[in-house]
Amino acid sequence: MTADKAAETREARMEEIMPDKRINIKGLVCPYTFVKAKLAVEAMETGQVLEVLLDYEEAARSIPKSMEDHGQKVLKVEKINETDWVLQIRKEKE
Amino acid sequence: MMEFTDDQLLRYSRHIILPEVGGRGQEKILKAKVVIIGAGGLGCPVGYYLTAAGVGTLGLVDNDTVEMSNLQRQIAHSVNTIGMPKVESAARTFQALNPDVNVVQIQQRISKDNILDLIKDYDIVVDGSDNFPTRYLVNDACVMAGKPLVSGAILRFEGQVTTIVPGEGPCYRCLFEDPPPPGLVPSCQEAGVLGVLPGVIGGLQATEVLKLILGKGEVLKGQLLIYDALKTSFRKVKVPKNPSCAICGENPTITELADYDQGYCAMP
């Protein structure tokens, strides 16, 4: 790896947001996926970031939408392997 | 914020996902204490829905027993509980729906001597009584104790709901100064009621209670909502606070509670 490339990778890593809280809701289906995520956000401070690991595809679409409807900021929706998604949500309001 | 059990997450999920309720709102509901005067036509649906919603403590005040003629509208009772105190019959039904709820059975007739004591441990009072003397007594006691009161009434095809928040809005006496004389109140033979009517009015009362608990939306403060089941129409009438009201006015003339004549027909 060249020096430039290594710097770039470091930079990309710096941009990765460290979540303040992580929840694993694999195995859950709607609406409990959103219930769990919403309760987690409610318990956090404004500005903090929640990371959600889930394996229910519909929730990977519906949770971000519902969170935005509730005024929160969706930072990331990423399929990380065959079965799982990772979401990051920043709490913008109570 | 409280930790919900798995059962609570499932039971209350449709509340929790509402932005106006959420986990915090559901926690408020679970901690709320509501007392219902009357376990009849109105008290049954109000108590049933508040039980389903998870209200922490539900007081039921009623001195009657279940009769066959109640079952056309009083949905918490059944042929299996005829003869049983209504508070016990309703408590069984509510506990079967949601064992989380602490249903307190108060098998007493309300009077000037016990009402303040009966309501003192509760946050909100619901009037589902079937007679004017009780209605005025409950109003006066709630004004004196500063307790929010959700009042409902039904007759034939018409029902009314209003929410009294002492110190903020008018009370029942601002609306109707005194109980009507017994002769003007329909006799038992004349006083029919469509069985579903208390379901509509009780549902509205339960909604008012939940909004008071949550502190969300607008309650019927200073407003009387009138439902006409025959026309399927709702009307809202503004009710101003009466500055010379005998109980909540500037110079109240009622300073202690009184029992009114009981020469009225018992209906809901």
Side-chain angles (χ1 to χ4, degrees):
Chain A
M1 195 186 283
T2 64
D4 275 1
K5 195 86 177 164
E8 212 170 273
T9 311
R10 260 200 312 277
E11 212 163 89
R13 282 211 193 103
M14 294 284 282
E15 280 171 19
E16 288 264 315
I17 292 167
M18 285 303 293
D20 298 279
K21 185 173 181 175
R22 288 192 169 91
I23 57 169
N24 180 344
I25 55 170
K26 285 173 69 162
L28 289 183
V29 298
C30 289
Y32 310 112
T33 44
F34 182 58
V35 169
K36 287 275 191 186
K38 183 172 192 293
L39 286 173
V41 169
E42 277 189 49
M44 292 165 66
E45 304 291 328
T46 305
Q48 289 188 320
V49 174
L50 172 71
E51 188 168 281
V52 184
L53 176 65
L54 59 103
D55 62 2
Y56 186 66
E57 184 173 2
E58 193 192 325
R61 290 188 297 269
S62 63
I63 291 179
K65 184 180 181 307
S66 300
M67 285 293 175
E68 286 189 337
D69 289 346
H70 287 220
Q72 315 305 350
K73 175 83 179 165
V74 178
L75 304 175
K76 186 204 259 185
V77 179
E78 191 181 325
K79 188 163 194 209
I80 56 166
N81 58 41
E82 279 302 297
T83 54
D84 302 342
W85 281 260
V86 164
L87 315 178
Q88 281 192 343
I89 296 137
R90 189 169 67 216
K91 181 167 181 172
E92 300 285 312
K93 57 178 258 194
E94 282 297 328
Chain B
M1 196 163 68
M2 68 177 283
E3 286 289 323
F4 293 97
T5 64
D6 285 349
D7 274 354
Q8 286 177 324
L9 278 185
L10 299 178
R11 184 184 283 275
Y12 305 118
S13 59
R14 262 60 172 194
H15 267 170
I16 293 169
I17 60 185
L18 289 170
E20 293 80 359
V21 183
R24 290 212 175 82
Q26 187 60 47
E27 185 177 355
K28 285 183 187 170
I29 295 170
L30 290 166
K31 288 181 175 166
K33 297 177 177 175
V34 179
V35 63
I36 303 173
I37 312 298
L42 293 169
C44 286
V46 174
Y48 223 155
Y49 271 112
L50 293 182
T51 297
V55 164
T57 303
L58 202 57
L60 296 178
V61 186
D62 202 304
N63 197 35
D64 286 343
T65 52
V66 178
E67 295 173 29
M68 184 64 87
S69 65
N70 302 147
L71 302 184
Q72 162 255 21
R73 62 197 178 284
Q74 302 185 13
I75 56 167
H77 311 310
S78 77
V79 286
N80 297 320
T81 63
I82 286 174
M84 187 185 282
K86 284 187 180 175
V87 290
E88 186 184 344
S89 167
R92 286 187 185 195
T93 304
F94 298 165
Q95 260 147 9
L97 173 62
N98 188 350
D100 273 358
V101 177
N102 173 28
V103 183
V104 182
Q105 301 175 33
I106 308 163
Q107 200 194 335
Q108 292 183 35
R109 182 166 254 305
I110 277 207
S111 75
K112 66 178 170 52
D113 300 315
N114 65 8
I115 185 160
L116 287 171
D117 197 46
L118 289 182
I119 66 174
K120 75 174 189 318
D121 294 330
Y122 294 90
D123 311 315
I124 298 168
V125 180
V126 177
D127 186 8
S129 67
D130 58 3
N131 63 82
F132 284 103
T134 304
R135 194 174 299 282
Y136 279 80
L137 181 61
V138 171
N139 175 73
D140 296 355
C142 286
V143 171
M144 284 182 179
K147 304 270 183 191
L149 166 64
V150 180
S151 187
I154 49 168
L155 186 67
R156 301 192 183 105
F157 291 92
E158 196 174 280
Q160 303 177 345
V161 190
T162 188
T163 296
I164 292 153
V165 185
E168 292 182 25
C171 79
Y172 202 75
R173 279 185 192 276
C174 297
L175 186 58
F176 307 109
E177 264 179 46
D178 292 303
L184 278 183
V185 179
S187 72
C188 296
Q189 285 73 24
E190 294 167 309
V193 62
L194 191 71
V196 70
L197 183 63
V200 176
I201 299 301
L204 289 166
Q205 285 181 282
T207 312
E208 292 289 289
V209 169
L210 290 176
K211 288 188 296 177
L212 285 169
I213 294 170
L214 294 168
K216 298 286 179 183
E218 291 160 32
V219 292
L220 288 166
K221 188 169 67 182
Q223 293 180 311
L224 180 71
L225 181 68
I226 302 167
Y227 171 60
D228 183 332
L230 279 181
K231 292 183 185 153
T232 317
S233 72
F234 284 94
R235 259 184 318 137
K236 263 191 194 177
V237 181
K238 276 194 183 164
V239 183
K241 200 163 156 45
N242 177 4
S244 55
C245 173
I247 182 93
C248 78
E250 286 151 16
N251 299 299
T253 52
I254 299 172
T255 52
E256 58 186 73
L257 295 173
D259 288 326
Y260 298 94
D261 288 342
Q262 293 288 332
Y264 296 92
C265 171
M267 230 276 300

